[in-house]
Amino acid sequence: MTIEWRYTAEQDLGILSVSGYLGPDAVRRFAGAVGWVVGRGSGPVIVDLTGLRGWSAEGQLAITEAARRLAAAGRSLELAAIPADGSLVPHGDYPPIPVHPDRAGALTAHSTRHGEPVKGRHEWRTTGWRADEPGA
């Protein structure tokens, strides 16, 4: 099982929506998505996990590694709608990862009005991302 992803860059905020299961088989694909994010957009990145069915310990580690990678690029990572099976607790020298209950809460924290058109919006996604996926 793997993941699908969509990245939207809006002004000074990025949203990486992920669906599927973030397990050992999906870690490389997630790291590739993060590489895409690092090269495009600016400002904080909200990782929207609304469509994620779950994650493994390797998947959680991939999230914390993404936070480190983004921090090295001068950007921060935040989570929205983490899976119900646990919380993410970065340890050691990982950057802090704010967690929002849902996508709308994360956007509100950045004063972005959900549903309003945004100037300068760009979007990229995997070919498997369906229009009816959460966060679409």
Side-chain angles (χ1 to χ4, degrees), residues 1-4 17-23 26 48-56 60 80-86 128-130 133-134:
M1 213 182 288
T2 190
I3 59 164
E4 298 296 336
S17 300
V18 181
S19 68
Y21 180 77
L22 186 53
D48 179 8
L49 302 175
T50 303
L52 200 67
R53 291 189 298 272
W55 54 10
S56 67
Q60 290 184 18
I82 63 171
D85 63 350
W129 185 271
R130 298 184 335 241
E133 291 278 350

Side-chain angles (χ1 to χ4, degrees), residues 57 60-62 64-65 67-68 87-97:
Q60 290 184 18
L61 183 59
T64 56
E65 287 296 329
R68 185 189 317 233
S87 62
L88 181 73
V89 181
H91 41 76
D93 60 345
Y94 289 96
I97 301 175

Side-chain angles (χ1 to χ4, degrees), residues 6 10 13 15 17 46 48 50 102-118 121 133-136:
R6 181 185 70 197
E10 308 177 337
L13 180 67
I15 302 169
S17 300
I46 297 168
D48 179 8
T50 303
D102 54 29
R103 179 187 174 108
L107 293 175
T108 299
H110 290 278
S111 300
T112 301
R113 292 184 174 86
H114 185 63
E116 288 187 12
V118 178
R121 180 182 175 137
E133 291 278 350

Side-chain angles (χ1 to χ4, degrees), residues 9-81:
E10 308 177 337
Q11 297 171 347
D12 290 326
L13 180 67
I15 302 169
L16 177 61
S17 300
V18 181
S19 68
Y21 180 77
L22 186 53
D25 295 340
V27 167
R28 279 186 72 174
R29 189 168 196 166
F30 180 75
V34 172
W36 192 266
V37 169
V38 168
R40 291 158 182 84
S42 62
V45 176
I46 297 168
V47 179
D48 179 8
L49 302 175
T50 303
L52 200 67
R53 291 189 298 272
W55 54 10
S56 67
E58 294 89 351
Q60 290 184 18
L61 183 59
I63 297 273
T64 56
E65 287 296 329
R68 185 189 317 233
R69 190 171 175 191
L70 285 163
R75 301 175 74 183
S76 63
L77 181 142
E78 302 179 21
L79 296 177

